[in-house]
Amino acid sequence: MTDVSVTTHVFDAAVDLFEVRDDRTEGHTHPAYANMVGPFGGITAATLLRAVERHPDVLGMPLSLTVNFAGPITDGPFDITARPVRTNRTTQHWSLELSQGGEVATTATAVFGLRRPTWSSTEPQAPAVPAPDSLEPTPLPDFIAWARNYEMRYATGVVPEEGSAEVADSTSTLWVRDVPSRPLDFASLTAMCDIFYPRAFLRLGRVLPAGTVSMTTYFHADPETVAAQSDSPVLATARAHRFEQGFFDQSARLWGRDGVLLATSHQIVYFKA
């Protein structure tokens, strides 16, 4: 692992890994990003992305990442295998596994690539919401440890209080950034794609058992655009489309300065109601 000093941001400590050798590396869960069962899914996804970024054979920048949460991750060390399965002229395809005690807990695939100047257009527009400084921070319940690492200022869809009624719209829109503030990079952007509490909570007005099964993130910005965000808040919005037989989907968009679309994310979530 790198030399993690007292000045290292907690996020960087959480995604820190040993040097990748022979497609393998090791890491350790971090208590600051604990969830109700195992670590926060966003930090797991970010750690897997970091394993590819640190691989000596990596080509280009992240284009997509799919993470399948196959089983629980327990507190402690873990192993990651990150293997480039095919490298083309402009794209590189990766297969990843996170395991503990010889048992696979998470699988993933990633695509990295080289971007080039082309015609560009963004069809959706960033939601029209108040400036972040005009909204009060609204934290998630304190027992959710990982949420303490984020400043969340909700414009719509705040986490429902106990005894809330059902609603017809599952949309939440909020400004979010790391606490303490930290310049945005692809790893932290990956984690932010999973900062939304389960959409079923909002629809039903109550907390219930739920967990992400699979999450795919698409990156729409190059490293210069991501770095230009610095530590400014990111505008994040998510909604579901259908709740059916124990599963629901969730689609998210994350916007940066000047309304630039940084990433979109899609996941399928297990729930019990």
Side-chain angles (χ1 to χ4, degrees):
M1 287 187 172
T2 56
D3 182 15
V4 180
S5 68
V6 293
T7 59
T8 299
H9 193 282
V10 64
F11 179 85
D12 296 295
V15 299
D16 190 39
L17 296 167
F18 283 97
E19 182 181 357
V20 180
R21 295 181 181 273
D22 298 325
D23 298 340
R24 296 181 181 276
T25 185
E26 300 171 39
H28 198 288
T29 59
H30 197 292
Y33 286 88
N35 203 354
M36 290 179 284
V37 178
F40 166 47
I43 205 69
T44 300
T47 303
L48 289 164
L49 186 83
R50 182 56 55 85
V52 178
E53 290 181 321
R54 295 191 61 175
H55 197 288
D57 296 333
V58 65
L59 172 74
M61 64 200 76
L63 301 179
S64 71
L65 174 70
T66 296
V67 180
N68 303 307
F69 300 93
I73 299 173
T74 59
D75 294 339
F78 54 77
D79 300 312
I80 292 178
T81 300
R83 183 171 61 92
V85 295
R86 176 159 178 155
T87 300
N88 302 315
R89 287 190 298 175
T90 57
T91 60
Q92 187 176 56
H93 301 259
W94 292 81
S95 175
L96 299 104
E97 287 186 354
L98 184 154
S99 60
Q100 289 183 310
E103 185 174 21
V104 173
T106 307
T107 66
T109 57
V111 180
F112 275 54
L114 301 174
R115 294 186 181 272
R116 57 187 175 85
T118 62
W119 172 82
S120 300
S121 177
T122 303
E123 294 194 0
Q125 299 296 311
V129 299
D133 290 345
S134 67
L135 299 169
E136 290 296 324
T138 307
L140 297 185
D142 193 58
F143 65 85
I144 303 177
W146 66 262
R148 301 174 204 151
N149 300 291
Y150 293 100
E151 177 189 273
M152 302 183 189
R153 298 174 183 261
Y154 280 84
T156 59
V158 66
V159 60
E161 297 180 355
E162 185 176 354
S164 297
E166 296 184 18
V167 298
D169 187 356
S170 65
T171 303
S172 285
T173 302
L174 67 151
W175 293 99
V176 59
R177 65 176 169 184
D178 290 289
V179 174
S181 62
R182 173 189 181 278
L184 191 71
D185 58 18
F186 284 112
S188 58
L189 180 61
T190 299
M192 286 181 184
C193 286
D194 197 36
I195 54 90
F196 307 94
Y197 65 87
R199 302 295 83 204
F201 291 13
L202 183 57
R203 283 295 308 272
L204 297 176
R206 57 188 172 90
V207 175
L208 46 83
T212 301
V213 178
S214 181
M215 178 176 73
T216 296
T217 299
Y218 298 105
F219 303 95
H220 304 296
D222 60 22
E224 293 74 23
T225 301
V226 173
Q229 310 309 310
S230 186
D231 62 350
S232 297
V234 171
L235 181 60
T237 186
R239 64 161 300 169
H241 296 93
R242 184 165 177 80
F243 303 82
E244 177 69 17
Q245 297 181 334
F247 296 92
F248 67 87
D249 68 316
Q250 175 180 291
S251 294
R253 294 171 178 166
L254 276 72
W255 307 83
R257 289 181 173 180
D258 302 322
V260 61
L261 185 61
L262 300 173
T264 53
S265 180
H266 309 276
Q267 59 179 269
I268 191 75
V269 183
Y270 159 84
F271 77 102
K272 188 175 183 180

